[in-house]
Each structure stands twice: as C-alpha cells, then as structure tokens.
Amino acid sequence: MAAVRVEEVLAAAEEQEAEKRRSVTVEKELELEFDLGNLLALDRNPPAAAGLRGAAPGREAKLRALARDNTQLLVAQLWELPAERAGGAGGPLVARLPEPAFRLPREKPPPRPRPPTRWEQFARLKGIRRRKRTSLVWDEEAKEWRRRWGYRRAGGDPARAWLAEVPEGADPEEDQFARLRREKRERVARNELNRLRNLARAHRAGTAIPAAPLHPTGHQSREELSHVARVARVSTASLGRFQPRLPKEPSEPPSRNAGKKRRFEPLLGNLAAERSRQLELLRDMGSKKPVLDITRAVNKQLRQEEAEAAAAKGKKQSQRGKRGRRQ
Amino acid sequence: MRPLTEAETRALFEKLGRYIGENIQLLVDRPDGTYCFRLHRDRVYYLSEKLLKVATSIPRDNLVSLGTCFGKFTKSQKFRLSVMALDFLAPYAKYKVWVKPGSEQSFLYGNHVLKSGLGRITENTAQYQGVVVYSMADVPLGFGVAAKSTQECRKVDPMAIVVFHQADVGEYVRNEDTLT
C-alpha cells in the first residue's frame, strides 16, 4: 500500500515537473521565422485543419493553445537578445530590438495620379514638348547677361517703361499705359482662375493634391521654410513641447488661435497684476547690467593721465624757475 | 487701444531707462494713484486708471489722444521717445546738461548743442548716455544723447557737438500738426 502511494506521489511530482518544462518549451515541426524588430513571429506549420473548422468543438481552446505556444517561442527569442539595465543599475532590464526586416503593407491606398490639366491635354494632342529655357538672357543695351525675369531683368523694369506705342487700328484717345496695366491684371486673374480650376478638378477626381513638400527642395521661400520648420517641431509625440529651439527662433507659448489672430491682455484687466509684472520686468532688466563699466574705467584712466600731465608741467615750470634764479 | 505686450514694454522701459535709469519704478508704481501705459495706433500713452475707464467709452476711430503720449512705435517695432515725455523725464533725470542762454534758442530750433553753448554737465556722464537738457534757470528744454563724455567735453574744441538733439519743447510749435 505505502509503496503504491509513494510511486503515485513520485509520478505526480514528475508529471508536475514535466508540465512546468512543457509550459516553457514548445515543440514545432518547422521552426518559426522571427522579425524581432516588428515583434513578429511567422508560423509556417500546417495547422490541424479539421480541429479548426468553424463548427468544430473546442476550436477556441485549440486556437488559444496555438497562440500561446507561438507567443512563448517569440518571448523566448526576445530573452535571447542582449539586455541591459536602462537608467543605470536598478533600472528595468531592457532589450534592444534589431531593425525591422518585414515590410508592412500600406495603411492607405497609394495616391492616384492627378488628371492632366487643360494645357497638358492640349500639349499632348499637339505634340508640344517642354523646352528648357536658360535663366540668363543677353541684354544688348546693358551688354551683359541678365535674368529672364525678376530683379534687374533684361529689357528693363516694366514698371518704369516710359513709352507705350499706340498700335495700328487702336483708338488714339485710349490710355495705353492703363490698357497695359489692365491687361496684365486680367492675365494674372485668368491664370489664377485656371490654377484653381485644375486644383478643383484634381480634388474632385480624388487624387493627391500637390501640397508644399515638407522636405527641403532648395526652391523654398523663407516663409515656406519657417512653416515647414514649425510643422517639424510639432510632429513629435508630445507635440513639440520639449523640442529645443533653434538659435534665433523666438520662444512662443502655445496660442489657442495658432496664427489666426493676435490676442492681447484685456484693456481694463487687473491693473495691480500688470503693475507687479512691470516691476518684475524692470528688476530683471536692471539685474543684467554689466559690473564693469567700461566708460567709467576709461574716464578714470583719462583723469589719471591728466593729473600726471599737470604734475609734470608743474615740475618743469618750477625747475625752469630755479634755473633762472641761479645766476 | 490695448495694453502693451511684453516685448513692447521691454522696448519702452529700455528707452526710458536710458534717461532716468531705475527711477522708472516711480512712474510705474506711484503713491498717488494707479497709472498705466496703453497703446493706441502705435503710440504709447501714460494715463491714470480713472482716465482710462472714461476713455473706454470713446470709439476707436474717434479717439485721438489720451493722457500723455510718451512716444510711438515705428513700423519695425522700435520705440521713439517724443518731447511730451519730458514732463516725466525731467524730475527723475540722472544725467543733466545745462545750456548757456546764448545757445538756448539754437537748441530750441532743433540744433545740436556745441561745446561753446555748454554751461554745466553732470559729472561721470558716459558717452552716448541719454541726458536731459536744461536752461541755466533749471527749466527743462528737451533731451538728447551726450556725444562726448564729461572728461572729453573738457578737452574738446568749442565748435564740437557735445549733445545730440533728440527732442525739445520748440517742437510744440514747429510740429504742432503732428504731435498728438
């Protein structure tokens, strides 16, 4: 009787041990593929198809066991990574993940190409190709290479054109300068209208609207660059609150309007608070004065020199007087 | 009309401090009432709280001036002190220059002060220090910037400029139209 019980106890203990070990080791026919950068484990083992069918009983339990086994293997792989203590001794044990190898699929569909504009359609029809123009043009009058347009262009500043010929067949009473100005205004308006129409067409077709690029292109203006810098600063997890400022960037407190409208203190707000703020500002300004006053030092030096010069002159005069008296 | 922002207050105090130093506290914190600075159409006005409360009832377009105008902010946000601040600068001035009676008129016409017209000057005036100009009878005439320090003033020749003119009470007559 006792022997049987001992055997039973031993068998139970052994089973418990095996259970423990089993919970940590997992047997698989094919090894899993791991991408620890993405915390990804790929199991290519064919599953027990019959047991996982929709109506099979115990399906939940089987799926859960499969998931548990694969997670166990993944965690075992994570424990293989070189680990270190973050934040010195006593901090949590941290493993450094390798670079992710698996290319994750796109979250959103790729952008569709925008529909061609009216000019692009026409150009394609007629076979017109884009001719690259030089940026500098030879100016005969100035005898040098000038820009095609812009500051100091070839052909002089159009705003200072002092002659406007009356074309044949035009009304002699008409103001030519006014006509030129009006036509320029109309051209600008027409171009703007067409640009907006193209934009609307692209928007309706559901394509990506060409926006200002956020990476440096080399053709960006100062305002664009400052806008891009502002966007980059805010694109952090804490929305730019802990980003160090560039050397000449002014520090701005986060404004609720964010560039829409300037906001000022109320006109008749707490005057005592305003006064105390101003006094504090005065105190700050006063404390920053330099200790060494250069002008005072210079003045002191000048005074010393003057005193020495006066003493030397006095001595010379007295000497001369003495010499004169010795006869 | 609005209160000044911090940058504007700083610019204003820096300018005033060049003439009256740390006595600005006496302007900000007065024992006889609460006085404040307000900005209206780029001009800085110094007025009491009582006056401010009354001025809020005037529409912005119709409001010409309130209290004392100390100066204005230029388009590039620099502060320019005007002669109307003289009443508040003169009692607290740290560095003073007295002008001889003969060249008082010249200064009041807008010219700089030459060495020949210089009566007295406070000791230890640094070069380019803001100074208030008085006549020999201790009447404040205007303010300016010392072109030479006190030491140099003694040595320089009589036709040299010692104080650059910045504002004088003659402007009340000359620039009658533009002063607010």
Side-chain angles (χ1 to χ4, degrees), chain A residues 262 264-268 271 274-275 278-279 281-282 285 295 299 302-303 306, chain B residues 1-3 5 10 13-14 24 28-29 34 38 49 52 56 126 149 151 155:
Chain A
R262 275 183 80 181
F264 303 110
E265 301 288 315
L267 179 57
L268 273 176
L271 285 175
E274 189 186 325
R275 208 171 33 191
Q278 285 177 345
L279 286 173
L281 178 66
L282 278 172
M285 282 168 56
T295 41
N299 283 345
L302 282 172
R303 256 200 304 245
E306 272 178 23
Chain B
M1 190 179 13
R2 60 167 174 87
T5 62
R10 195 177 283 269
F13 285 169
E14 264 173 33
I24 307 178
V28 171
D29 200 6
T34 322
R38 286 293 180 265
E49 180 191 354
L52 176 63
T56 52
S149 66
Q151 301 293 322
K155 297 199 271 189

Short mmCIF file of all heavy atoms in Angstrom, two decimals, chain A residues 262 264-268 271 274-275 278-279 281-282 285 295 299 302-303 306, chain B residues 1-3 5 10 13-14 24 28-29 34 38 49 52 56 126 149 151 155:
data_model
loop_
_atom_site.label_atom_id
_atom_site.label_comp_id
_atom_site.label_asym_id
_atom_site.label_seq_id
_atom_site.Cartn_x
_atom_site.Cartn_y
_atom_site.Cartn_z
N ARG A 262 -3.99 87.70 -33.31
CA ARG A 262 -3.21 88.04 -32.13
C ARG A 262 -4.13 88.32 -30.97
O ARG A 262 -5.20 88.88 -31.15
CB ARG A 262 -2.40 89.31 -32.40
CG ARG A 262 -1.09 89.03 -33.08
CD ARG A 262 -0.32 90.28 -33.24
NE ARG A 262 0.36 90.64 -32.01
CZ ARG A 262 1.10 91.73 -31.89
NH1 ARG A 262 1.23 92.55 -32.89
NH2 ARG A 262 1.69 92.00 -30.77
N PHE A 264 -4.41 89.96 -27.02
CA PHE A 264 -3.75 90.84 -26.06
C PHE A 264 -4.40 90.70 -24.71
O PHE A 264 -5.47 90.14 -24.57
CB PHE A 264 -3.85 92.29 -26.53
CG PHE A 264 -3.28 92.49 -27.90
CD1 PHE A 264 -4.10 92.77 -28.97
CD2 PHE A 264 -1.94 92.38 -28.12
CE1 PHE A 264 -3.58 92.95 -30.23
CE2 PHE A 264 -1.41 92.56 -29.38
CZ PHE A 264 -2.24 92.85 -30.43
N GLU A 265 -3.72 91.29 -23.72
CA GLU A 265 -4.32 91.32 -22.39
C GLU A 265 -5.59 92.15 -22.44
O GLU A 265 -5.72 93.05 -23.27
CB GLU A 265 -3.33 91.98 -21.42
CG GLU A 265 -2.01 91.25 -21.33
CD GLU A 265 -2.15 89.96 -20.60
OE1 GLU A 265 -2.80 89.95 -19.54
OE2 GLU A 265 -1.65 88.94 -21.11
N PRO A 266 -6.52 91.92 -21.52
CA PRO A 266 -7.73 92.77 -21.54
C PRO A 266 -7.37 94.19 -21.17
O PRO A 266 -6.44 94.46 -20.42
CB PRO A 266 -8.62 92.12 -20.46
CG PRO A 266 -7.71 91.27 -19.67
CD PRO A 266 -6.60 90.84 -20.57
N LEU A 267 -8.16 95.11 -21.72
CA LEU A 267 -7.82 96.53 -21.61
C LEU A 267 -7.86 97.01 -20.16
O LEU A 267 -6.95 97.65 -19.67
CB LEU A 267 -8.82 97.33 -22.45
CG LEU A 267 -8.65 98.83 -22.46
CD1 LEU A 267 -7.27 99.19 -22.91
CD2 LEU A 267 -9.66 99.45 -23.39
N LEU A 268 -8.93 96.67 -19.45
CA LEU A 268 -9.07 97.12 -18.07
C LEU A 268 -8.89 95.96 -17.12
O LEU A 268 -9.59 95.85 -16.13
CB LEU A 268 -10.46 97.72 -17.87
CG LEU A 268 -10.58 99.19 -18.21
CD1 LEU A 268 -12.03 99.63 -18.07
CD2 LEU A 268 -9.74 100.02 -17.27
N LEU A 271 -5.16 95.74 -12.89
CA LEU A 271 -4.08 96.74 -13.02
C LEU A 271 -2.97 96.48 -12.01
O LEU A 271 -1.80 96.74 -12.28
CB LEU A 271 -4.64 98.15 -12.83
CG LEU A 271 -5.43 98.66 -14.03
CD1 LEU A 271 -6.06 100.00 -13.73
CD2 LEU A 271 -4.53 98.78 -15.24
N GLU A 274 -0.79 93.90 -13.49
CA GLU A 274 0.00 94.50 -14.56
C GLU A 274 1.18 95.25 -13.98
O GLU A 274 2.33 95.13 -14.44
CB GLU A 274 -0.90 95.45 -15.36
CG GLU A 274 -0.28 95.96 -16.63
CD GLU A 274 -1.16 97.01 -17.29
OE1 GLU A 274 -2.39 96.86 -17.20
OE2 GLU A 274 -0.61 97.95 -17.86
N ARG A 275 0.91 96.02 -12.92
CA ARG A 275 1.97 96.80 -12.29
C ARG A 275 3.06 95.89 -11.73
O ARG A 275 4.25 96.14 -11.92
CB ARG A 275 1.37 97.64 -11.17
CG ARG A 275 2.15 98.90 -10.92
CD ARG A 275 1.45 99.80 -10.00
NE ARG A 275 0.69 99.09 -9.00
CZ ARG A 275 -0.18 99.68 -8.20
NH1 ARG A 275 -0.39 100.97 -8.31
NH2 ARG A 275 -0.86 99.00 -7.32
N GLN A 278 5.20 94.56 -14.47
CA GLN A 278 6.14 95.54 -15.00
C GLN A 278 7.30 95.75 -14.05
O GLN A 278 8.45 95.89 -14.48
CB GLN A 278 5.42 96.87 -15.25
CG GLN A 278 4.56 96.81 -16.48
CD GLN A 278 3.79 98.10 -16.69
OE1 GLN A 278 3.68 98.92 -15.79
NE2 GLN A 278 3.27 98.28 -17.88
N LEU A 279 7.02 95.76 -12.75
CA LEU A 279 8.10 95.94 -11.77
C LEU A 279 9.07 94.77 -11.83
O LEU A 279 10.29 94.94 -11.75
CB LEU A 279 7.52 96.08 -10.37
CG LEU A 279 6.85 97.41 -10.09
CD1 LEU A 279 6.17 97.39 -8.74
CD2 LEU A 279 7.85 98.55 -10.14
N LEU A 281 9.65 92.96 -14.45
CA LEU A 281 10.40 93.12 -15.69
C LEU A 281 11.53 94.11 -15.49
O LEU A 281 12.66 93.90 -15.93
CB LEU A 281 9.44 93.60 -16.79
CG LEU A 281 10.05 93.88 -18.15
CD1 LEU A 281 10.56 92.61 -18.75
CD2 LEU A 281 9.03 94.49 -19.07
N LEU A 282 11.25 95.20 -14.78
CA LEU A 282 12.27 96.20 -14.50
C LEU A 282 13.40 95.59 -13.68
O LEU A 282 14.58 95.84 -13.94
CB LEU A 282 11.66 97.37 -13.73
CG LEU A 282 10.94 98.40 -14.56
CD1 LEU A 282 10.25 99.38 -13.66
CD2 LEU A 282 11.91 99.11 -15.47
N MET A 285 15.52 93.50 -15.91
CA MET A 285 16.36 94.29 -16.80
C MET A 285 17.50 94.92 -16.02
O MET A 285 18.62 95.01 -16.51
CB MET A 285 15.52 95.40 -17.46
CG MET A 285 14.67 94.87 -18.59
SD MET A 285 13.45 96.01 -19.17
CE MET A 285 14.41 97.41 -19.57
N THR A 295 33.14 102.74 -19.72
CA THR A 295 33.34 104.17 -19.87
C THR A 295 33.90 104.77 -18.59
O THR A 295 34.77 105.63 -18.63
CB THR A 295 32.03 104.87 -20.22
OG1 THR A 295 31.00 104.30 -19.43
CG2 THR A 295 31.71 104.69 -21.67
N ASN A 299 37.28 106.80 -18.30
CA ASN A 299 37.34 108.15 -17.71
C ASN A 299 38.37 108.23 -16.60
O ASN A 299 39.12 109.20 -16.49
CB ASN A 299 35.96 108.54 -17.16
CG ASN A 299 35.02 108.94 -18.27
OD1 ASN A 299 35.46 109.17 -19.39
ND2 ASN A 299 33.75 108.99 -17.98
N LEU A 302 41.71 108.46 -18.13
CA LEU A 302 41.95 109.80 -18.68
C LEU A 302 42.30 110.78 -17.56
O LEU A 302 43.22 111.60 -17.69
CB LEU A 302 40.70 110.29 -19.43
CG LEU A 302 40.49 109.71 -20.82
CD1 LEU A 302 39.14 110.12 -21.35
CD2 LEU A 302 41.58 110.17 -21.77
N ARG A 303 41.53 110.70 -16.45
CA ARG A 303 41.78 111.61 -15.33
C ARG A 303 43.18 111.43 -14.78
O ARG A 303 43.89 112.39 -14.49
CB ARG A 303 40.76 111.36 -14.22
CG ARG A 303 39.67 112.39 -14.14
CD ARG A 303 39.03 112.35 -12.80
NE ARG A 303 38.52 111.01 -12.53
CZ ARG A 303 37.26 110.71 -12.38
NH1 ARG A 303 36.34 111.65 -12.47
NH2 ARG A 303 36.86 109.48 -12.15
N GLU A 306 45.64 113.01 -17.10
CA GLU A 306 45.60 114.47 -16.95
C GLU A 306 46.38 114.90 -15.71
O GLU A 306 47.17 115.86 -15.76
CB GLU A 306 44.15 114.94 -16.80
CG GLU A 306 43.45 115.23 -18.09
CD GLU A 306 42.01 115.64 -17.85
OE1 GLU A 306 41.71 116.11 -16.75
OE2 GLU A 306 41.21 115.48 -18.77
N MET B 1 -7.12 100.59 -28.75
CA MET B 1 -6.37 100.79 -27.51
C MET B 1 -6.16 99.45 -26.84
O MET B 1 -7.11 98.68 -26.72
CB MET B 1 -7.20 101.70 -26.59
CG MET B 1 -6.37 102.13 -25.43
SD MET B 1 -7.14 103.21 -24.24
CE MET B 1 -8.84 103.21 -24.52
N ARG B 2 -4.95 99.18 -26.44
CA ARG B 2 -4.70 97.91 -25.77
C ARG B 2 -3.48 98.06 -24.87
O ARG B 2 -2.68 98.96 -25.05
CB ARG B 2 -4.45 96.82 -26.81
CG ARG B 2 -3.28 97.06 -27.72
CD ARG B 2 -2.96 95.80 -28.48
NE ARG B 2 -1.92 96.01 -29.46
CZ ARG B 2 -0.63 95.92 -29.21
NH1 ARG B 2 -0.21 95.66 -28.00
NH2 ARG B 2 0.26 96.11 -30.16
N PRO B 3 -3.32 97.18 -23.91
CA PRO B 3 -2.11 97.21 -23.11
C PRO B 3 -0.91 96.78 -23.95
O PRO B 3 -1.08 96.14 -24.99
CB PRO B 3 -2.36 96.20 -21.98
CG PRO B 3 -3.74 95.76 -22.13
CD PRO B 3 -4.25 96.14 -23.48
N THR B 5 2.36 94.62 -25.05
CA THR B 5 2.85 93.26 -24.89
C THR B 5 4.20 93.31 -24.19
O THR B 5 4.76 94.39 -23.98
CB THR B 5 3.05 92.58 -26.24
OG1 THR B 5 4.03 93.31 -26.96
CG2 THR B 5 1.77 92.52 -27.02
N ARG B 10 9.21 96.00 -22.79
CA ARG B 10 10.66 95.95 -22.62
C ARG B 10 11.32 97.06 -23.42
O ARG B 10 12.22 97.75 -22.92
CB ARG B 10 11.16 94.59 -23.09
CG ARG B 10 12.54 94.25 -22.66
CD ARG B 10 12.86 92.86 -23.14
NE ARG B 10 12.21 91.87 -22.31
CZ ARG B 10 12.78 91.32 -21.24
NH1 ARG B 10 13.99 91.67 -20.90
NH2 ARG B 10 12.14 90.44 -20.52
N PHE B 13 10.72 100.42 -21.66
CA PHE B 13 11.50 100.60 -20.43
C PHE B 13 12.96 100.78 -20.73
O PHE B 13 13.67 101.51 -20.05
CB PHE B 13 11.27 99.43 -19.48
CG PHE B 13 9.94 99.46 -18.80
CD1 PHE B 13 9.50 98.36 -18.10
CD2 PHE B 13 9.13 100.57 -18.86
CE1 PHE B 13 8.26 98.37 -17.47
CE2 PHE B 13 7.91 100.61 -18.24
CZ PHE B 13 7.47 99.49 -17.54
N GLU B 14 13.44 100.10 -21.76
CA GLU B 14 14.85 100.27 -22.11
C GLU B 14 15.11 101.69 -22.53
O GLU B 14 16.11 102.30 -22.14
CB GLU B 14 15.21 99.32 -23.25
CG GLU B 14 15.83 98.05 -22.77
CD GLU B 14 16.02 97.05 -23.87
OE1 GLU B 14 16.27 97.48 -25.02
OE2 GLU B 14 15.92 95.85 -23.59
N ILE B 24 12.31 104.49 -13.19
CA ILE B 24 11.07 104.12 -13.89
C ILE B 24 10.07 103.54 -12.90
O ILE B 24 8.86 103.65 -13.08
CB ILE B 24 11.34 103.08 -14.99
CG1 ILE B 24 12.43 103.56 -15.92
CG2 ILE B 24 10.11 102.86 -15.82
CD1 ILE B 24 12.75 102.55 -16.98
N VAL B 28 5.98 103.73 -12.69
CA VAL B 28 5.07 102.59 -12.74
C VAL B 28 4.25 102.51 -11.45
O VAL B 28 3.04 102.31 -11.47
CB VAL B 28 5.88 101.30 -12.94
CG1 VAL B 28 5.00 100.09 -12.77
CG2 VAL B 28 6.52 101.29 -14.30
N ASP B 29 4.96 102.71 -10.34
CA ASP B 29 4.34 102.48 -9.03
C ASP B 29 4.20 103.83 -8.33
O ASP B 29 5.08 104.22 -7.59
CB ASP B 29 5.26 101.54 -8.25
CG ASP B 29 4.52 100.86 -7.14
OD1 ASP B 29 3.29 101.05 -7.07
OD2 ASP B 29 5.17 100.15 -6.36
N THR B 34 -3.12 104.82 -9.54
CA THR B 34 -2.65 103.77 -10.44
C THR B 34 -2.53 104.34 -11.83
O THR B 34 -3.52 104.80 -12.40
CB THR B 34 -3.67 102.62 -10.48
OG1 THR B 34 -4.21 102.44 -9.20
CG2 THR B 34 -3.03 101.35 -10.96
N ARG B 38 -0.82 102.55 -22.18
CA ARG B 38 -1.70 101.92 -23.15
C ARG B 38 -1.24 102.28 -24.54
O ARG B 38 -0.67 103.35 -24.78
CB ARG B 38 -3.16 102.38 -22.96
CG ARG B 38 -3.83 101.78 -21.73
CD ARG B 38 -4.00 100.32 -21.91
NE ARG B 38 -4.64 99.69 -20.78
CZ ARG B 38 -3.98 99.10 -19.76
NH1 ARG B 38 -2.68 99.11 -19.74
NH2 ARG B 38 -4.64 98.51 -18.80
N GLU B 49 -5.73 105.46 -14.10
CA GLU B 49 -6.78 104.44 -14.25
C GLU B 49 -8.13 105.09 -14.43
O GLU B 49 -8.96 104.65 -15.23
CB GLU B 49 -6.76 103.57 -13.00
CG GLU B 49 -7.78 102.47 -13.01
CD GLU B 49 -7.89 101.82 -11.65
OE1 GLU B 49 -7.07 102.17 -10.78
OE2 GLU B 49 -8.76 100.98 -11.48
N LEU B 52 -8.46 106.17 -17.90
CA LEU B 52 -8.59 105.00 -18.77
C LEU B 52 -10.03 104.52 -18.80
O LEU B 52 -10.59 104.21 -19.86
CB LEU B 52 -7.66 103.90 -18.26
CG LEU B 52 -7.73 102.56 -18.97
CD1 LEU B 52 -7.31 102.71 -20.41
CD2 LEU B 52 -6.83 101.57 -18.28
N THR B 56 -12.53 104.45 -22.30
CA THR B 56 -13.04 103.26 -22.97
C THR B 56 -14.39 103.51 -23.61
O THR B 56 -14.85 102.74 -24.43
CB THR B 56 -13.19 102.09 -21.98
OG1 THR B 56 -13.96 102.55 -20.86
CG2 THR B 56 -11.85 101.61 -21.51
N ALA B 126 28.59 109.27 -19.27
CA ALA B 126 29.29 108.45 -20.25
C ALA B 126 28.96 108.94 -21.65
O ALA B 126 27.99 109.68 -21.86
CB ALA B 126 28.85 107.00 -20.09
N SER B 149 31.82 112.17 -23.45
CA SER B 149 31.75 112.00 -22.00
C SER B 149 32.23 113.28 -21.34
O SER B 149 32.83 114.15 -21.97
CB SER B 149 32.59 110.83 -21.57
OG SER B 149 33.95 111.11 -21.81
N GLN B 151 34.63 113.90 -19.34
CA GLN B 151 36.08 114.09 -19.45
C GLN B 151 36.44 114.67 -20.79
O GLN B 151 37.22 115.63 -20.89
CB GLN B 151 36.78 112.75 -19.29
CG GLN B 151 36.50 112.07 -17.98
CD GLN B 151 37.09 112.84 -16.85
OE1 GLN B 151 38.15 113.40 -16.94
NE2 GLN B 151 36.34 112.88 -15.76
N LYS B 155 38.12 118.68 -22.91
CA LYS B 155 39.29 118.84 -23.78
C LYS B 155 38.94 119.23 -25.21
O LYS B 155 39.80 119.62 -25.95
CB LYS B 155 40.04 117.50 -23.84
CG LYS B 155 40.58 117.08 -22.49
CD LYS B 155 41.66 116.06 -22.67
CE LYS B 155 41.02 114.69 -22.69
NZ LYS B 155 42.03 113.64 -22.66
#
